[in-house]
Amino acid sequence: MENGNIRPLEDGIEKDLTGLNYGSYLQLDTLLAAQAPLSTHHDEMLFIIAHQTTELWLKLVIHELRSAMALIAADSLGPALKRLARIKHIQKQMTDQWSVLATLTPSEYAQFRGILGKSSGFQSMQYRLLEFLLGNKNAAMIAVFAHHPEQQQILQAALDAPSLYDEFLLFLHRRGYAIPAELLDRDRRVPHTLNAALVDVFTGIYDAPEAQWDVYETCEELIDVEDTFQTWRFRHLKTVERIIGFKRGTGGSSGVAFLRRALDLTFFPELYAVRTEIGR
């Protein structure tokens, strides 16, 4: 019988946690020891955990995105769509996180901002890698990671390789779609730019979705990924504006102005341009 509010352990619950257990499997001793504030200010812990958690989510997005790209390259569209669907839900989680960091007021942040030195989210290798995989290639960014040759190699490999959109266009070519030849054999190190002939290809897909539903659905999944990524960017911008106004970033960027320019970038321009053509 239960005694008041005390609930006895069920008979089958493990009490000998020697060996593999919840804490050891997740390496919680290491994970929970990774928060090392440099000040005595209460709110620095929030700042550290918010950014560390974002890096963990970025790691998962990259894991899923690389898998999706490999599946598309292998003409396995169904499982790739599952990966892309998961990515957009992760991105929504990342976006919601900004609301927690936004509870940090300018006065609170000012008390420990000075100890950050030149540290900045601009220096996140994982964020840069994600942008490269999505197609926002910029070779100049690799120089930022000269202090870490291994990270530079990872970024260089992603710079040289096809992006998610490149892989999708190659897939469409294998399916028999009239993908412009200049997009099939192009310099992968530069961002893709709007191609009018490709807009025509997507217009045909959107005009008859029932005849090519898997391709049509992939187009919409790509839009979802970009939409949720841009929403994350926007919440980043507004959180920074809310906390530091228009100060320069700790890493030397122009801060809010720099983040605002990023909102003008697009990964899949034809998938947005086609929306103007539908129904004409």
Side-chain angles (χ1 to χ4, degrees):
M1 295 178 61
E2 294 191 10
N3 181 13
N5 292 324
I6 298 176
R7 184 176 64 174
L9 289 178
E10 295 177 0
D11 290 340
I13 289 180
E14 293 284 353
K15 294 185 282 293
D16 180 3
L17 301 186
T18 305
L20 185 66
N21 57 59
Y22 179 80
S24 62
Y25 174 67
L26 296 178
Q27 298 188 53
L28 292 184
D29 287 345
T30 300
L31 182 65
L32 299 179
Q35 297 74 47
L38 298 180
S39 76
T40 58
H41 193 271
H42 173 82
D43 296 298
E44 191 186 351
M45 183 65 77
L46 161 64
F47 190 79
I48 291 172
I49 289 177
H51 286 82
Q52 287 182 337
T53 306
T54 296
E55 289 293 332
L56 286 173
W57 285 127
L58 285 172
K59 183 173 184 176
L60 184 55
V61 170
I62 291 165
H63 174 72
E64 299 293 340
L65 183 55
R66 285 192 183 280
S67 176
M69 292 167 66
L71 287 164
I72 292 171
D75 297 331
S76 186
L77 208 53
L81 291 176
K82 175 64 186 300
R83 305 288 193 271
L84 295 176
R86 180 176 290 166
I87 286 169
K88 68 186 179 186
H89 287 294
I90 299 167
Q91 290 175 322
K92 288 176 182 176
Q93 185 76 24
M94 291 169 62
T95 298
D96 287 343
Q97 276 190 197
W98 289 119
S99 297
V100 182
L101 190 59
T103 65
L104 183 67
T105 69
S107 301
E108 291 164 346
Y109 184 43
Q111 294 187 50
F112 66 86
R113 187 179 191 234
I115 60 97
L116 300 178
K118 56 187 177 183
S119 305
S120 168
F122 179 82
Q123 300 154 10
S124 168
M125 188 280 287
Q126 290 199 122
Y127 173 76
R128 197 60 53 199
L129 175 58
L130 177 56
E131 285 220 323
F132 281 12
L133 294 173
L134 289 174
N136 184 22
K137 305 288 187 73
N138 186 343
M141 292 293 182
I142 297 179
V144 175
F145 301 91
H147 67 291
H148 201 311
E150 183 179 351
Q151 290 184 351
Q152 279 194 314
Q153 290 175 7
I154 293 171
L155 289 173
Q156 186 65 54
L159 184 77
D160 296 338
S163 68
L164 171 63
Y165 201 39
D166 289 326
E167 291 290 7
F168 183 48
L169 297 183
L170 290 169
F171 168 84
L172 291 177
H173 171 68
R174 293 191 298 273
R175 272 282 188 96
Y177 290 87
I179 305 301
E182 64 270 22
L183 299 181
L184 300 175
D185 185 22
R186 70 178 192 88
D187 185 352
R188 306 295 185 191
R189 298 169 296 178
V190 298
H192 169 84
T193 55
L194 183 69
N195 183 290
L198 185 56
V199 176
D200 292 340
V201 172
F202 285 124
T203 301
I205 292 170
Y206 275 79
D207 279 343
E210 65 283 348
Q212 49 218 317
W213 191 264
D214 58 345
V215 171
Y216 171 71
E217 184 180 0
T218 304
C219 292
E220 286 298 287
E221 287 289 348
L222 292 178
I223 286 291
D224 284 345
V225 168
E226 173 153 347
D227 189 15
T228 49
F229 187 83
Q230 290 287 51
T231 301
W232 180 84
R233 274 177 166 164
F234 179 74
R235 288 291 289 122
H236 183 192
L237 180 156
K238 298 307 291 184
T239 302
V240 170
E241 184 177 11
R242 175 174 177 153
I243 296 175
I244 68 168
F246 293 89
K247 296 185 185 75
R248 295 192 69 83
T250 46
S253 76
S254 55
V256 167
F258 176 82
L259 296 174
R260 183 168 286 124
R261 287 195 296 274
L263 292 174
D264 293 330
L265 301 173
T266 181
F267 304 120
F268 320 123
E270 292 82 7
L271 290 179
Y272 283 96
V274 74
R275 280 148 169 77
T276 307
E277 304 303 318
I278 302 304
R280 277 188 171 179

